Amino acid sequence: MGNRSGSYYSALKRITKVANSAFSSRKVYNSIAKSAAKAVHANGCRISFLVPQHEYLLTAGTYGLSDIYLKKGPLDARKSLPEILDGETVFVADATKDERVQHHQIAEAQRISSILGVPIIKQDEVVGEMRVYTHEPHWFSESDNSFLRSVVDICAVILERTESKQVLKQEYKKDRKHTLLTEAPQLPTASLRPASFAHPSESEFAKLLDFYRIEWLYEPRAFPLCWKEGAVAEMFTPDFYLPELDLYVELTTLKQSLITEKNRKVRQLKQLYPDVNIKLLAKDDFVKLLVKYGYGPLGEVKIGQVNKVLFSRSQIQRRVKILAKRISRDYAGQQIVMVGVLRGVICFMADIIQQISLPVTVDFMAISNYGGDGQVVKITKDLDSSITNRHVLMVEDIVDTGMTLNYLLTHLRAHNPQSLNICTLLDKRARRLVDIPLKYVGFEIPDRFVVGYGLDYKEEYRNLPFIGLLNPDVSQVHGDLNSMK
Ligand code: IMP
């Protein structure tokens, strides 16, 4: 005990000295984080402050953490352990299992085991928090707690320093600009960004995820698959982990022999780790996925004509009638707002609203297209009317990977509709990456590229009264991913 109080004392001495120095705020908070972590035998520490309106936490200083937190930008204040910001000291014994911790895989990737979070309180108001982390399970003592409470008091005092407040204000402004520009309630992407990828298709896939603002980590975890004499004999490291979707994605190579081997490993992984969600994405499939943006090796394929009708006009009309009947029955006595996603939805929307026997209003949204140029998805046309407290039915032409819907739903949810459901004419389920519950589905279709009845290929074919396949079917043309830059 005597030794411990000695280490608290020398840490406090260092902390007050740096707090009173002329160093930059970042340096001061980093130094405090280091002294605090060391004094309580923690491996890492993060000090963050709430920005005005208390929506975000900005990281002021860290120690012992990979730069994921700094790259992550502002953190959603209510997303992880919000009790701290309600003024409580929170202890998490095992971050890789605790339900209160959002991304267990990130915790694992960061080697975070136990967490102690202490609120930073200034004149009865919570202004931020300090968290200390350990690599191994660890119990913090009452003296650790009491020491950290003194440290956060010092942090609260330094926050008053003009420079400290100024830095936070600037960062907040930068972020605000970003949020307003993209008009999206999502946070910038966080990733363990590798210096280089093993293959160009991986880098392209990362760009696509970035576009849709889907968080990703590259090769964050190796799974032991087989053991010999107590030692791990075989490991499998999936290429990507998407924490928000709790999904691993493995991109396979073109060589059939390697695909078979990968399939075996994935099967084994599923058996050994049944809770792990993993999808295999063959490179060919990935090239096909880029076709709809007119991008990638197949983006230039010359198309002749539509040579196969998949659904005739009368088949579509019959199906639309059935869907409309269901919708009218399910929403009986209510008013709905039908929100269409431009432009593929034009024909379907026009037909279905005429068959619905309820009062409906119609609104449209549009988003930017992926171009592989480092841009992130933007809403290019937002709703014209408010959907707060209203029953919203999103209407889509086709759901493919689900990334478009995933983005739009996040945007719509932020407006607090009373209910939010999805109606899609076509469901290309085989290619789904983001699983989203679809309440009304016209037709489930195979992994083929379709056009007509509003759907296009490079803006053509929307006016066909039926849904057909192109000749050649772009999605069946063999892609050469090596031509990807
Ligand atoms: P997701 O984000 O991958 O689900 O893609 C959905 C969007 O991709 C749709 O709104 C369509 O604009 C487009 N799309 C997907 N598959 C096709 C297709 O086979 N033909 C035409 N457009 C498609």
Side-chain angles (χ1 to χ4, degrees), residues 86-105:
D86 293 332
E88 284 176 36
T89 294
V90 173
F91 174 65
V92 174
D94 185 351
T96 61
K97 295 201 176 73
D98 198 295
E99 276 175 8
R100 293 169 296 175
V101 176
Q102 262 223 325
H103 302 320
H104 293 148
Q105 308 295 345

Side-chain angles (χ1 to χ4, degrees), residues 168-217:
L168 281 175
K169 258 196 194 151
Q170 271 165 10
E171 288 197 25
Y172 173 68
K173 260 200 202 146
K174 222 166 58 191
D175 170 62
R176 202 68 209 143
K177 207 164 127 209
H178 177 85
T179 318
L180 290 175
L181 268 180
T182 55
E183 293 176 312
Q186 290 181 340
L187 296 170
T189 312
S191 317
L192 285 175
R193 306 217 162 221
S196 66
F197 288 94
H199 194 277
S201 62
E202 293 175 356
S203 131
E204 194 59 51
F205 186 59
K207 277 204 265 175
L208 189 64
L209 293 172
D210 278 345
F211 177 77
Y212 283 105
R213 306 171 133 254
I214 295 177
E215 247 179 52
W216 56 266
L217 303 170

